[in-house]
Structures are given as structure tokens and as C-alpha cells.
Amino acid sequence: MPLVRVENLRKTFQRRGGAAVHATNGVSFTIEAGETLGLIGESGSGKSTVGRMVLGLIAPTEGTVDFDGRDLATLTPRQLRELRSELQVIFQEPLESLNPRMRVSAIVEEPLVIHRRELSPAQRRARVLETLALVGLDEGHASRFPGEISGGQQQRVGIARAIITEPRFIVLDEPTSSLDLSVRASVLELLGKLQRELNLSYLFISHDLATVRFFCMHTAVMYLGRIVERGPTSDVLTHPRHPYTRALLSATLSPDPDEHKLHVPLRGDAPNPLAIPPGCPFVGRCPIEIAACSAAPPPSHTVAGTHEVACIRADEAITTGSQFQ
């Protein structure tokens, strides 16, 4: 049984005046114990909303989130609070997620004060130092304030705070996007090491396709609140079948100056979430759309193994440049 199972997750936000913003529209996926699922897409595609619903921070309008066989919507407030220690999050901006008036030791200790009330102050202190060492920080960092340490060290504090309650699942919401490349690599290595040693499962939300390719076992591609393609990362990012995934990949820079990518042109901008088209959400931008694409949202179907795509033309050979003109 998967550790996390998301079924038909929908979230609608009501704006003043009665207008409805459809943030997610039928998102489904699973995450096994010890697995990392990458969730990619443009800004505004609904990735962070999915992450917050998976953590139980916001309630879905429709659909279910099961954690280890427990539907979060059926839990009492007390049961949900108790479960918080097993569901954690690491944020995009480390400094903004840390209280600037608290010392590092207090920041890392706070989850223990909330979730491990049976521990004495001495036991909590020992656990804080042990966890800081686990993320590559020493006792000298414990007495500092967040503004007195580097960005990479701030993110390590955020990681220490997330793992100190021994969670099983962590949402990584753009955890390295604000870091420079060298620091980013070391943080990713740390997250990978912790995953292996602690058997952690991750939902990795990111815009960085190179990082997702390196770090994630499986990948789901979101567009306008829907997952349009998902499967093993090697399949999705090496043999993409959805035109939107192909467009994302064609827009990335290659480290090889001699590599020539097929450019996939897109027309216009993403539709207004207040007026989502009735058919495929990619209608109006897709370079290979046909009249049938406007009829109804395409169902997701398997194209190879566990590689799924929501596109009625996915089974066609769409690799030649002429088809993208």
C-alpha cells in the first residue's frame, strides 16, 4: 500500500463577488515509502496548493488524501495534530521560514516541545544537537540567530526542524531554488542521504527540470491544475509524450553547447483560471491540437509501463519538427 495516496483532488477558491478559482482539477498520484515524486509545472499550475492539501494545511473541495491508509478528512483535529509529526515541510525561502528572533536551537527544538512532551529539557537539547550534526551543523550554530548564518546553513536548519520529530513524509517546496549552484548540490546530497538513512518519502515541488531529473524517482507534470503526464522520471523527461512537457523541456538550457533541441512553440498565455476551457486545458496553446481537443478533458491513459499521459494525440509520432509548426 502506498504511503501517500491522492485521489481526484480538487480545490476551488471563492473570490469576492462569487467568482471561483479552480486551483486543482482532479489530481491523483501515489508515493511509496522511501520514494520521491517530483511535481513540476509553470507558476500558478497548482503545485503548492497540492502540497498544502497533502499536508492537511488546507482542505480539498473534493477528493481524498490518504496517509498510511488514513483519510486526512476523517481525522479529528486532535488526531490531525498528532499526525503532524509524521508530515513535515521544507520551504523555498529558508530565512523567511525561520523566526529571526529565535536562536537556531530554539527553532529546531520547537517541534519537540509540541509533539514530544514526554521529553525533558535535557533530552530535547541532546536531540537538537544530534539533529544539527545530522544536517552538517555543529554546536556553535545552535546559539546563533538565522540572520547570522548563510543561506545554505539556514536551509539546513529548516531541514533539521523538519526531521527532528522523525517524520515519514516531507513536502519539499522549491527547497533549493533560492540557493546558488554549489550550495544547492550539497543540500540535495544531504536530502538524498537523509532519505536513505531515515527511509523518508518526498513530494518535491520544483521548476528546475535538471534538479528533478537528478533527484526524483517519478515525475508528474502539472498544467492549469491538472496532471497532464506522469511516470518514471527517466521516461517522462527523456521520452515526453505530452506537448506541454515537450515545451518545458525545449525551454531549458543544455550544459552541452553542441546539443540542438527541437523547439516547441506555444501560443499565447495559460487560460484564466476563472474561465478554464471545457476541453483540454492546453487548447489554444498546443501546437498539435485538433478540433476534438475542445470537446472534453482528455482522460489519462498508459503509453508505456507506468508512464501515463492525458493527451488524445499522445500515441502519435510527434517527434518531427514539421508537426510543431
Side-chain angles (χ1 to χ4, degrees):
M1 180 176 66
L3 181 65
V4 177
R5 180 183 295 276
V6 171
E7 293 284 352
N8 195 35
L9 210 57
R10 300 176 184 271
K11 183 62 182 179
T12 301
F13 295 99
Q14 295 293 331
R15 300 182 63 184
R16 291 182 179 178
V21 178
H22 303 284
T24 63
N25 296 279
V27 172
S28 299
F29 58 80
T30 61
I31 303 176
E32 302 287 342
E35 180 184 85
T36 301
L37 172 67
L39 193 59
I40 62 176
E42 293 174 284
S43 295
S45 61
K47 305 185 301 299
S48 293
T49 300
V50 169
R52 286 170 170 80
M53 285 191 285
V54 171
L55 290 170
L57 298 178
I58 59 176
T61 304
E62 294 181 31
T64 59
V65 177
D66 287 355
F67 177 76
D68 197 19
R70 290 169 288 181
D71 183 351
L72 298 189
T74 66
L75 301 182
T76 66
R78 180 176 179 178
Q79 290 172 326
L80 192 56
R81 283 196 303 270
E82 292 173 350
L83 193 62
R84 295 285 186 211
S85 64
E86 299 185 54
L87 304 167
Q88 292 293 322
V89 60
I90 297 172
F91 297 100
Q92 176 178 359
E93 296 290 346
L95 184 58
E96 293 183 7
S97 69
L98 305 176
N99 189 328
R101 297 184 178 182
M102 294 175 65
R103 297 186 188 274
V104 166
S105 58
I107 292 172
V108 178
E109 182 185 14
E110 190 173 29
L112 294 180
V113 175
I114 297 171
H115 297 291
R116 299 290 186 267
R117 296 182 180 181
E118 72 279 6
L119 298 179
S120 68
Q123 290 173 320
R124 293 199 303 266
R125 172 69 178 177
R127 177 63 177 158
V128 167
L129 295 179
E130 175 187 341
T131 305
L132 287 176
L134 199 59
V135 301
L137 300 176
D138 56 37
E139 189 171 356
H141 294 97
S143 61
R144 299 181 185 177
F145 292 98
E148 298 175 332
I149 58 179
S150 68
Q153 291 169 340
Q154 291 165 1
Q155 194 59 295
R156 288 173 185 265
V157 172
I159 295 171
R161 179 179 58 185
I163 67 171
I164 198 166
T165 57
E166 301 177 311
R168 290 191 286 165
F169 174 71
I170 300 178
V171 172
L172 307 174
D173 194 353
E174 298 274 6
T176 60
S177 63
S178 64
L179 307 176
D180 63 44
L181 288 179
S182 60
V183 177
R184 183 180 305 179
S186 66
V187 170
L188 289 174
E189 289 178 2
L190 171 62
L191 290 170
K193 174 175 177 288
L194 293 174
Q195 182 175 45
R196 294 187 297 271
E197 294 179 353
L198 305 179
N199 194 34
L200 295 170
S201 300
Y202 294 143
L203 175 61
F204 189 90
I205 299 171
S206 181
H207 292 88
D208 188 343
L209 300 188
T211 299
V212 170
R213 188 189 298 272
F214 165 77
F215 191 74
C216 300
M217 304 166 192
H218 291 81
T219 295
V221 183
M222 284 195 70
Y223 179 78
L224 204 64
R226 292 182 172 92
I227 290 180
V228 297
E229 187 164 5
R230 66 177 177 177
T233 299
S234 57
D235 291 344
V236 173
L237 298 187
T238 304
H239 305 290
R241 301 294 293 273
H242 197 282
Y244 177 64
T245 309
R246 289 173 172 265
L248 287 179
L249 289 167
S250 75
T252 61
L253 294 176
S254 171
D256 182 359
D258 296 324
E259 180 181 357
H260 300 285
K261 293 185 178 182
L262 174 66
H263 177 58
V264 181
L266 298 182
R267 296 169 289 169
D269 298 318
N272 187 333
L274 295 174
I276 297 177
C280 174
F282 206 42
V283 164
R285 302 186 75 191
C286 181
I288 60 168
E289 69 181 67
I290 56 178
C293 296
S294 300
S300 182
H301 64 281
T302 301
V303 291
T306 57
H307 187 173
E308 299 179 4
V309 61
C311 176
I312 62 175
R313 300 196 67 190
D315 292 331
E316 302 177 32
I318 55 173
T319 57
T320 60
S322 60
Q323 290 173 287
F324 289 101
Q325 303 306 317

